[in-house]
Amino acid sequence: MSWTDLADIAAAACLLLGALLALVAAIGVLRMPDLLSRMHAATKPQVLGTMLVMAGVALRLREPAVLGLLGLVVLLQMASSVVSSHMLGRASFRAGQVRYDLLVVDELSGDLEHQEPRGAP
């Protein structure tokens, strides 16, 4: 068995595991009860699934030019997923679309009480 066969097996394992994590993320989005839980289910396994799929593609293609592009895809996915879920969570919290009975820790309500409303004199 040569190293290319081992790389192909590792690529297949990464691709299957990444696809499984993407499926888990999709099921979590459908099954979770509130917005914050859905965001957690959408971002955590989805980013790891994307990383595994990109690692599988890199192991399968084995070209230096593709490796840089796949690395860029992973970095942008990690950065945009974190920022977008954070901003979506804050916006939904301010709009009152969060189930407070499901929160374990609520650190944002205290900060929002001390802020003046926008446009206030």
Side-chain angles (χ1 to χ4, degrees):
M1 181 176 269
S2 67
W3 71 273
T4 56
D5 293 336
L6 289 175
D8 287 341
I9 291 170
C14 286
L15 287 170
L16 287 174
L17 216 74
L20 180 68
L21 281 172
L23 178 66
V24 167
I27 292 171
V29 168
L30 293 175
R31 305 258 322 165
M32 293 293 169
D34 66 331
L35 178 76
L36 297 178
S37 299
R38 287 181 183 142
M39 283 185 347
H40 179 76
T43 55
K44 303 292 183 194
Q46 184 64 38
V47 170
L48 184 58
T50 302
M51 290 171 62
L52 284 170
V53 167
M54 294 302 132
V57 170
L59 285 170
R60 181 65 182 103
L61 294 179
R62 298 180 207 101
E63 293 181 14
V66 174
L67 294 178
L69 186 61
L70 293 176
L72 184 63
V73 167
V74 168
L75 286 175
L76 290 175
Q77 174 71 27
M78 287 171 49
S80 65
S81 175
V82 170
V83 172
S84 64
S85 66
H86 176 77
M87 296 309 293
L88 182 65
R90 285 183 67 96
S92 66
F93 193 90
R94 288 175 189 239
Q97 298 177 351
V98 174
R99 288 185 49 187
Y100 294 97
D101 60 328
L102 295 177
L103 292 178
V104 176
V105 176
D106 182 9
E107 295 176 348
L108 192 56
S109 291
D111 292 340
L112 291 177
E113 291 172 1
H114 299 297
Q115 279 185 343
E116 284 187 25
R118 288 191 178 171

